[in-house]
Amino acid sequence: MTDASSNDDQVLRVTDLRTYFPVRSRGLLSKTIGQVKAVDGVTLSVAPGETLGLVGESGCGKSTTGRTVLRLIAPTSGRIELDGDDITRMSAKQLVPLRRKAQMIFQDPYNALNPRHTVGTIIGAPFDVQSLNPAGGVRAAVQDLMERVGLNPEHYNRYPSEFSGGQRQRIGIARAVALRPKIIVCDEPVSALDVSIQAQIMNLLKDLQDDFGVSYLFVAHDLAVVRQIAHRVAVMYLGHIVELASREELYSRPLHPYTHALLSAVPLPDPRAQASREQIRLRGDLPSPINPPSGCVFHTRCFRAEERCTVEIPELREFSAGHTVACHFPMLEVIPGAVIEGPDSGLTPQPVPYIRPPSEVISDIAESGSLARAAGVDYVEGPDTPVPQ
Amino acid sequence: MTTAAQPFLSVDGLSVTFPTEDGRVQAVDGVSFSVERGKTLAIVGESGSGKSVTAQAIMGLLDRRLSVVTGHAWLAGRDIVAMSDDEVRHERGSSMAMIFQDPMSSLHPFYRIGAQLSEAVLVHQKVSKHAAREQALDMLNRVGIPDPKTRIDNYPHQLSGGMRQRVMIAMALINSPSLLIADEPTTALDVTVQAQILELIGTLQQEYDTAVVMITHDLGIVADIADNVAVMYGGRIVESGSVDEIFYHPQMPYTLGLLASVPRLDQVRAERLDPIPGNPPSPISLPPGCVFQPRCAYFDRVAGHACQTVRPELLDIGRGHRVRCHLDSGQRDQVASDVLAALAGGGV
Ligand SMILES: Nc1ncnc2c1ncn2[C@@H]1O[C@H](COP(=O)(O)OP(=O)(O)OP(=O)(O)O)[C@@H](O)[C@H]1O
Ligand SMILES: Nc1ncnc2c1ncn2[C@@H]1O[C@H](COP(=O)(O)OP(=O)(O)O)[C@@H](O)[C@H]1O
Ligand code: SF4
Ligand code: SF4
Ligand SMILES: [Mg+2]
Ligand SMILES: [Mg+2]
């Protein structure tokens, strides 16, 4: 729909963004012993009214990208421009007025809302944070919003526990659109919902986009959901964007071997089509982002890898207009019915996930909660990816 | 012993109720299905439709003090529902086994995986400790754990999510059960790992000629691995049949609604999906007529308010296809062709 690369009226422009988390040794005198390269050189932009999908396996850095562009996590390096303003190094105070322009919706409608606040308080919070008094009062504005997202305005004084999962997601959405932001980062907003509810919420997000022209950075692992909602799609692997294209291009002419593998791993709800398609089986798991593989980060699982891939980092280059890919040997053909196997998992470095002790998880939740509140977001989000040791 | 023609598992009129403070929860109501060895039945439905409770009832995992199970579940001709707790425990892990979404529900966090696998062997087979460990090693190898000789001495937390899922499958299959019930085994996994796990289950199923019941909410998984499908809604089977019947000749408005709700990877759909309105029913206050009536777009086509007042029966419409709906066959065909035409005619 929009030509994202040429004009400069982008709502969000991210250049060479890196977010590294320090890995510390345990004990009293804990030292930094390494870095999790959660986001490692991401460049993307989102146009007004556009949805950019961000897909990839668990732990590839989607959520970290989403949170960093909202400055809920401090970037290690790179540049973030929100509606023309460079927000990369802004202080929390400087950021406050800009919070009106960018909001977030989280995955877990069960843990995401403060259970002690009424729906009215939750949806009205952005007005308080920004010290805004809408004409007609906050209550009327909130009830309008409730109506708009398909909630009964009479439930203004109810608590989140009295709502179903889908309704809670509507509450989160009402809150996010309250101040008519330019962009909303949606982190897996429909992943926890049943298919019928998921479709209702996707329709709602589309309607709001049509009405307000809001942009979405839509983080999801479900490629079918992303095809339904996104205009352009970025595929992430180990902190890198490996392919970025319009929806039509990405799903009909994927070029990166990883994109092929991801697409072919999704079973189609159509037995005959499913039995006759290209099947690429990746072996093993995602390598550790602490010690990412040399050269192309995908080479340990790639079925097309050659010597060159282990030493030379493939640059993200434009293959056709608006279609960029980071691969030395992009795939130009699809082989229906072919079964392609990735390298044996024995060769794949296996990550050893570190199960976080409950105390750490709690402090983490508290931390993201306070970050979220500082951002004018009334969410407390649970951890999704275990942090590797 | 069963012969190939007979189903290995035959569930007949299975019902489960939980007496709770809020009232009687009718979680499963008169569920019947059967599975042959080597075949896969998929049970599909939204959350709360009674899939997991059905599985737990068959596996004898429901606490008898907190639940009432009626009906029959014939396992190779013997009724599990009528068995004592000890008898069911013996069947579990030998002739039948279950895997779950969360592998830690089957694995003990403080024991090495090798010890847990060997223990499972020793409970059901009269073999030496050494032989049990050899079996454990062989099983880890079969489920595709890299470097099993090292991994056998790992604790569960030292493995990735996908590897833990493999170890749980190894646990379930180590005594080569004839029935495997898998309750959303890949829901928490990435699609790439999911594909590996589904392939693994399929391979082992062929090897051991296992009857598999796959519980899922994902129609893609159903299409990928099922021979037969049962669609559940509000504790009941509302439609069942071969995988081709369900995907290419669906008849029940709920099944049609599900198919219309899923976004497709391989097709351009209309900008807006056409989802089922409203929310799934609460098992405490089920509507008196058709359980799907409050969300159904077609109930007014049925004369005399039958949808609001009379529970439809599961009707056999031929080719092994059953439908629970008051619409007559002409009406059902009309509804189905309208919905399927709208789906095919989408287009972005
Ligand atoms: N606070 C943190 N401290 C250290 N490492 C972190 C932290 N947050 C995330 N990580 C690590 O950064 C990497 C990217 O995590 P992120 O949550 O962005 O992934 P994701 O793509 O959103 O995955 P998922 O699909 O599971 O949500 C992971 O390896 C994760 O363990
Ligand atoms: N132990 C229990 N006590 C009371 N209600 C239960 C219990 N277990 C399940 N239920 C209820 O039974 C219904 C069916 O649950 P379940 O089989 O888990 O659904 P699903 O199809 O999602 O697996 C749900 O409404 C659930 O809340
Ligand atoms: S650069 Fe090489 S290893 Fe990387 S995706 Fe392309 S072919 Fe595979
Ligand atoms: S019985 Fe009536 S309400 Fe139920 S699915 Fe059929 S038409 Fe709809
Ligand atoms: Mg995430
Ligand atoms: Mg369940």
Side-chain angles (χ1 to χ4, degrees), chain A residues 102-323:
Chain A
Q103 285 290 323
M104 185 144 186
I105 303 170
F106 294 102
Q107 163 175 0
D108 189 345
Y110 295 91
N111 294 330
L113 305 172
N114 189 327
R116 285 179 295 277
H117 288 173
T118 63
V119 170
T121 311
I122 291 170
I123 301 176
F127 296 107
D128 287 350
V129 172
Q130 298 287 342
S131 315
L132 296 174
N133 205 350
V138 171
R139 188 184 173 112
V142 168
Q143 290 189 320
D144 272 358
L145 282 163
M146 290 178 73
E147 182 110 55
R148 182 66 198 80
V149 300
L151 293 167
N152 183 346
E154 284 165 22
H155 295 167
Y156 184 86
N157 282 320
R158 294 202 179 174
Y159 290 89
S161 59
E162 298 171 65
F163 294 86
S164 69
Q167 287 171 321
R168 285 183 226 193
Q169 200 53 288
R170 291 179 196 271
I171 297 171
I173 292 170
R175 194 188 184 304
V177 299
L179 302 177
R180 302 285 187 273
K182 301 240 171 176
I183 184 165
I184 302 177
V185 173
C186 310
D187 193 352
E188 308 264 11
V190 298
S191 307
L193 306 174
D194 274 320
V195 281
S196 66
I197 313 297
Q198 176 176 305
Q200 294 171 8
I201 298 293
M202 285 200 284
N203 282 350
L204 172 62
L205 290 172
K206 283 205 166 183
D207 292 345
L208 293 170
Q209 185 165 61
D210 290 346
D211 292 358
F212 309 142
V214 63
S215 305
Y216 298 123
L217 178 60
F218 193 94
V219 170
H221 66 274
D222 186 328
L223 287 126
V225 164
V226 169
R227 178 170 200 168
Q228 183 65 26
I229 203 154
H231 302 106
R232 287 188 304 136
V233 182
V235 181
M236 268 189 97
Y237 188 80
L238 270 192
H240 299 259
I241 289 182
V242 295
E243 182 159 15
L244 204 164
S246 70
R247 158 176 60 186
E248 291 73 18
E249 278 276 313
L250 193 97
Y251 288 89
S252 61
R253 272 183 298 284
L255 292 170
H256 200 282
Y258 179 62
T259 311
H260 273 258
L262 267 188
L263 289 171
S264 85
V266 181
L268 303 176
D270 180 337
R272 287 171 203 155
Q274 176 60 16
S276 65
R277 61 203 280 252
E278 181 192 58
Q279 306 226 341
I280 298 170
R281 291 282 172 261
L282 292 187
R283 300 287 153 198
D285 303 301
L286 210 64
S288 161
I290 299 175
N291 273 317
S294 63
C296 170
V297 283
F298 186 53
H299 86 250
T300 54
R301 295 169 88 196
C302 183
F303 45 91
R304 287 168 78 83
E306 294 188 18
E307 190 62 38
R308 180 180 169 197
C309 306
T310 64
V311 286
E312 194 185 324
I313 299 174
E315 294 296 321
L316 200 58
R317 61 198 162 95
E318 191 156 50
F319 201 85
S320 57
H323 191 158

Side-chain angles (χ1 to χ4, degrees), chain B residues 251-265:
Chain B
Q251 293 267 307
M252 159 77 193
Y254 175 65
T255 312
L256 291 163
L258 273 186
L259 289 168
S261 293
V262 279
R264 290 283 295 253
L265 186 74

Side-chain angles (χ1 to χ4, degrees), chain B residues 27-97:
Chain B
V28 176
D29 190 359
V31 162
S32 303
F33 60 78
S34 57
V35 203
E36 287 166 34
R37 293 193 66 159
K39 296 282 188 223
T40 301
L41 170 80
I43 301 183
V44 64
E46 292 181 276
S47 58
S49 58
K51 308 181 295 296
S52 297
V53 173
T54 301
Q56 288 160 5
I58 297 168
M59 282 283 146
L61 290 171
L62 293 171
D63 188 328
R64 290 179 199 249
R65 289 162 304 182
L66 305 174
S67 59
V68 182
V69 181
T70 58
H72 309 279
W74 304 100
L75 187 75
R78 298 193 303 135
D79 188 1
I80 309 169
V81 176
M83 284 182 193
S84 72
D85 282 350
D86 280 346
E87 284 173 306
V88 182
R89 201 170 302 123
H90 177 77
E91 297 299 325
R92 209 164 51 227
S94 55
S95 64
M96 60 181 185

